[in-house]
């Protein structure tokens, strides 16, 4: 509890120092937020400083805000002059309602993603499951604001089936809930689908199938067995929906907490920003506590008694050739587009459809979209890979220390990426690595939560207790038992989040916290061309397709890579001449007690 209080105080204090860290004049920022057309003369700025008490310093302002908060008064907004606490409470209620709709959509998506594995696993036929997950990877790689833009323009505007703007009733919840729930449900569904084969391989599942237990009951028990490993990420997903759905709230004009926090951060409205962040931190702590209590309720006795089986699959999934195909397609797009000029302007070729001269069409300035996609790929992919690798290492190391990382994960997950970018930029200054550092600050938290959850269950397994009883030390258990069980699923989780990391980097650059136009960052391409989605859909669809291709490559590569084998030869045997007949080696029959009850043909050697 003390660690949580210290982290919360540090976060709120850093937010209170934001105007001074960013080396900007808060009076000028507040004036621009109040009235952009007003002339910032010295007298006006002095009046704002006197009104807000800015000359007293950040520590005095923070102390006044905390003192008022203890009395139930969070102060007034520096921009609008309204009471902060009612505004934040109303925005939080809107975000919680939107979060509920998104959770329903995500639950349906998870069910669809895992339906095939549940059906085959409950019937003991998981060995017949082929390579899959490409559609899930594509859906998980699509950014929320792109899904929201497509849904708003197609379903809301062109077809007119559902309202696209505003927040006035249940009908206005459908499209934003879909935009938030579909990608998040794909990530959660993929994570659950990765745990299910280990659950179906446990002794209880094999015994249930042998005793004729209905497959539906076996599937329900398998889901119940895997849900505790998914609960920490579900808690982070809830917090991310509430505070991180800024783009969706902006597109659909929803007065939620994420949008309110972003606007107050850009305007440096400290009372609103501090109160909104504190509400997000409290929500994150509540979600984390509920997730841990639910996990203890589901498998608490087994955790206490060390009676769990490992969900780690001893044999990795069969390697596939799909990563080679996706990698070749991505390399072909980059190789064809790199020789083209990504910055060449042609105003006579604005928003042209795809043609032999411009295979991906042109954007609003007449620039070749293929050239910009290829030119931005190297920088975007390189930085995203570096950030993902660092996040994986940090998530594993901190996840191995759950007492230290638990409160830290809850606190960090409550910070929207945009706010993290503002804080990092204020401390380090604007530069090419500022977005990478900002995304890396928050990208490790879901991996650490996943690691802690798997580690908690792995420590309660029977084989670990037996290995410890044989005299194995802590380092041996960590290297030979715990890490082999935790590292593969967490690494696959990190690969699944790779496209989202790439998009977060570019989105922060678009907000002025890194790369600036005309830089061909992938997120910049999507954001710049999004207003022209109806007139020139290719300008948005082709960059989104390349991003989805990256997601498919990242997810399928986690299962291994193998070139396709010829059908004419078997694995592990040399191919002989076509006329030869391969005779299998005789197998020794097991010495079972009931062998005498079953007739068996014997070879001539056995007769002799």
């Amino acid at each position: 509890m003390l660690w949580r209080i210290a982290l919360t105080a540090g976060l709120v204090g850093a937010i209170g120092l934001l105007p001074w860290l960013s080396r900007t004049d808060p009076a000028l920022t507040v004036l621009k937020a109040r009235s952009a057309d007003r002339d910032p003369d010295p007298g006006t700025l002095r009046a704002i400083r006197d009104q807000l008490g800015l000359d007293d310093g950040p520590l005095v302002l923070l102390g006044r805000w905390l003192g008022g908060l203890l009395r139930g008064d969070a102060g007034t907004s520096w921009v609008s002059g309204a009471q902060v606490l009612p505004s934040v409470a109303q925005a939080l209620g809107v975000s919680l309602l939107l979060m509920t709709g998104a959770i329903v959509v995500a639950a349906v998506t998870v069910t669809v993603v895992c339906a095939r594995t549940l059906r085959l696993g409950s019937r003991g036929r998981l060995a017949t499951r082929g390579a899959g997950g490409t559609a899930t990877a594509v859906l998980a790689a699509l950014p929320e604001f792109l899904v929201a833009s497509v849904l708003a323009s197609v379903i809301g505007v062109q077809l007119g089936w559902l309202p696209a703007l505003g927040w006035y009733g249940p009908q206005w919840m459908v499209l934003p809930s879909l935009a938030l729930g579909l990608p998040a449900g794909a990530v959660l569904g993929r994570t659950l689908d990765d745990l299910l084969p280990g659950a179906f391989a446990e002794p209880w599942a094999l015994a249930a199938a042998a005793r004729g237990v209905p497959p539906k009951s076996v599937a329900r028990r398998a889901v119940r067995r895997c849900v505790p490993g998914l609960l920490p990420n579900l808690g982070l997903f809830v917090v991310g929906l509430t505070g991180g759905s800024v783009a969706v709230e902006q597109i659909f004009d929803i007065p939620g907490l994420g949008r309110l926090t972003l606007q107050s951060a850009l305007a440096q409205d400290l009372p609103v920003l501090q109160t909104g962040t504190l509400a997000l931190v409290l929500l994150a702590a509540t979600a984390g506590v509920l997730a841990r209590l639910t996990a203890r309720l589901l498998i608490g006795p087994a955790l206490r008694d060390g009676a769990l089986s490992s969900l780690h699959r001893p044999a990795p999934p069969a390697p596939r050739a799909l990563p080679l195909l996706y990698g070749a397609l991505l390399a072909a797009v980059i190789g064809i587009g790199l020789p083209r000029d990504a910055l060449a302007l042609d105003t006579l070729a604005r928003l042209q459809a795809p043609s032999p001269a411009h295979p991906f069409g042109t954007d609003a300035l007449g620039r070749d979209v293929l050239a910009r996609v290829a030119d931005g790929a190297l920088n975007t992919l390189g930085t995203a890979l570096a950030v993902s690798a660092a996040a994986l290492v940090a998530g594993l190391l901190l996840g191995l220390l759950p007492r230290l990382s638990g409160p830290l994960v809850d606190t960090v997950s409550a910070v929207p990426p945009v706010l993290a970018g503002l804080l990092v930029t204020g401390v380090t200054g604007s530069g090419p690595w500022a977005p990478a550092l900002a995304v890396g600050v928050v990208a490790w938290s879901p991996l650490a939560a996943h690691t802690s959850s798997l580690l908690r269950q792995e420590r309660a397994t029977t084989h670990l207790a037996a290995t410890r009883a044989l005299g194995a030390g802590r380092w041996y258990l960590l290297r030979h038992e715990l890490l082999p069980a935790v590292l593969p699923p967490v690494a696959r989780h990190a690969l699944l989040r790779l496209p989202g990391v790439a998009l977060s980097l570019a989105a922060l650059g678009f907000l002025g916290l890194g790369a600036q136009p005309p830089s061909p960052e992938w997120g910049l391409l999507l954001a710049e061309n999004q207003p022209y989605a109806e007139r020139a859909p290719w300008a948005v669809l082709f960059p989104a397709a390349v991003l989805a291709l990256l997601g498919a490559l990242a997810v399928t590569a986690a299962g291994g890579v193998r070139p396709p084998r010829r059908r004419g030869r078997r694995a592990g045997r040399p191919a002989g001449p076509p006329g030869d007949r391969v005779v299998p080696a005789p197998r020794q029959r097991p010495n079972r007690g009931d062998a005498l009850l079953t007739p068996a043909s014997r070879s001539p050697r056995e007769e002799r």
Side-chain angles (χ1 to χ4, degrees):
M1 182 60 68
L2 294 177
W3 180 224
R4 292 178 185 273
I5 295 175
L7 290 173
T8 304
L11 177 61
V12 175
I15 292 173
L17 295 173
L18 180 60
W20 290 267
L21 291 175
S22 58
R23 294 174 292 276
T24 59
D25 187 1
L28 178 60
T29 307
V30 171
L31 177 63
K32 292 296 183 182
R34 290 179 178 178
S35 177
D37 299 332
R38 192 170 179 180
D39 186 20
D41 57 88
T44 304
L45 296 179
R46 170 56 60 185
I48 293 178
R49 289 192 186 95
D50 294 339
Q51 178 189 0
L52 303 179
L54 296 177
D55 293 335
D56 296 335
L59 297 180
V60 176
L61 292 176
L62 181 60
R64 291 175 184 171
W65 176 78
L66 288 175
L69 191 64
L70 294 177
R71 299 190 303 269
D73 182 14
T76 58
S77 171
W78 287 1
V79 176
S80 64
Q83 290 292 323
V84 172
L85 206 56
S87 302
V88 172
Q90 183 179 2
L92 179 61
V94 172
S95 295
L96 291 177
L97 189 59
L98 177 60
M99 176 196 69
T100 304
I103 288 178
V104 173
V105 174
V108 175
T109 306
V110 170
T111 304
V112 173
V113 170
C114 301
R116 184 165 175 263
T117 301
L118 289 172
R119 185 179 69 255
L120 295 177
S122 61
R123 290 169 173 80
R125 293 187 296 167
L126 271 181
T128 62
R129 187 182 66 160
T134 301
T136 308
V138 170
L139 185 59
L142 293 179
E144 287 86 354
F145 77 86
L146 179 61
V147 178
S149 301
V150 172
L151 293 176
S153 59
V154 176
I155 298 180
V157 178
Q158 294 182 358
L159 299 178
W161 291 348
L162 291 169
L165 293 176
W167 188 260
Y168 306 105
Q171 294 181 351
W172 281 263
M173 284 183 55
V174 178
L175 293 183
S177 299
L178 289 173
L180 288 173
L182 287 176
V187 174
L188 295 174
R190 184 71 186 184
T191 307
L192 178 60
D193 193 70
D194 188 63
L195 295 174
L196 283 173
F200 284 121
E202 289 184 346
W204 68 265
L206 302 177
R211 293 179 62 87
V213 177
K216 291 183 179 180
S217 179
V218 177
R220 287 196 300 269
R221 296 295 185 273
V223 171
R224 185 179 184 275
R225 173 68 179 89
C226 298
V227 161
L230 197 67
L231 283 174
N233 284 293
L234 182 59
L236 298 181
F237 160 69
V238 168
V239 178
L241 285 183
T242 307
S245 57
V246 179
V248 175
E249 293 178 358
Q250 290 278 17
I251 291 173
F252 290 102
D253 194 20
I254 300 174
L257 186 59
R259 183 185 178 189
L260 180 65
T261 305
L262 174 62
Q263 292 176 350
S264 60
L266 296 178
Q268 295 186 357
D269 191 354
L270 293 186
V272 178
L273 180 59
Q274 290 169 337
T275 308
T277 305
L278 184 61
L280 290 175
V281 170
L282 294 177
L283 178 64
T286 304
V289 170
L290 290 178
R292 285 186 284 272
L293 289 178
T294 306
R296 183 169 298 180
L297 180 64
L298 291 175
I299 56 172
L303 287 175
R304 183 186 64 246
D305 299 336
L308 286 178
S309 298
S310 177
L311 287 176
H312 172 56
R313 290 176 291 182
R320 297 161 289 186
L322 283 178
L324 298 177
L325 175 62
Y326 298 143
L329 290 176
L330 187 59
V333 170
I334 297 174
I336 295 174
L338 277 180
R340 300 169 178 263
D341 190 357
L343 301 178
L345 299 177
D346 186 2
T347 56
L348 299 178
R350 297 176 62 251
L351 300 178
Q352 284 190 355
S355 62
H358 304 286
F360 283 7
T362 61
D363 62 5
L365 298 178
R367 296 172 297 189
D368 188 81
V369 176
L370 175 59
R372 294 183 63 75
V373 169
D375 195 47
L378 300 180
N379 186 23
T380 302
L381 292 180
T383 308
L385 285 173
V387 172
S388 298
L392 176 60
V393 174
L396 284 172
L397 293 178
L398 292 174
L400 295 176
L401 303 171
R403 291 181 180 273
L404 173 67
S405 63
L408 189 59
V409 167
D410 293 341
T411 305
V412 170
S413 62
V415 181
V418 176
L419 181 57
L422 291 173
L423 292 174
V424 171
T425 305
V427 175
T428 63
S430 180
W433 286 102
L437 185 58
V439 175
V441 166
V442 298
W444 61 270
S445 57
L447 303 178
H450 195 186
T451 301
S452 299
S453 177
L454 295 178
L455 184 68
R456 188 182 304 111
Q457 297 189 54
E458 195 68 24
R459 283 175 173 172
T461 55
T462 54
H463 75 89
L464 194 72
T467 307
R468 189 184 296 110
L470 293 175
R474 292 184 177 181
W475 287 107
Y476 181 89
L477 293 175
L478 179 65
R479 292 174 54 192
H480 297 277
E481 300 293 339
L482 296 177
L483 282 181
V486 171
L487 183 58
V490 176
R492 288 190 288 269
H493 187 184
L495 283 173
L496 187 62
R497 291 184 176 271
L498 175 62
V501 170
L503 188 70
S504 298
L505 291 169
L508 289 177
F510 177 72
L511 292 174
L513 304 177
Q516 297 293 314
S519 175
E521 291 278 350
W522 284 1
L524 291 179
L525 297 182
L526 292 172
E528 290 173 350
N529 297 323
Q530 188 267 333
Y532 308 97
E534 296 185 23
R535 296 174 53 192
W538 54 84
V540 175
L541 292 180
F542 281 113
V546 177
L547 184 66
L549 183 63
L550 171 64
L553 172 62
V555 175
T556 54
V561 180
R562 179 184 65 187
R565 296 180 301 179
R566 297 174 56 185
R567 295 177 179 269
R569 60 177 62 185
R570 293 185 179 182
R573 286 185 187 173
D580 291 352
R581 180 173 179 267
V582 180
V583 181
R587 294 181 298 176
Q588 294 184 354
R589 301 183 65 83
N591 186 14
R592 297 186 302 176
D594 58 347
L596 298 176
L597 301 180
T598 57
S601 59
R602 299 199 298 174
S603 63
R605 177 179 295 181
E606 290 174 342
E607 291 289 344
R608 290 195 297 269

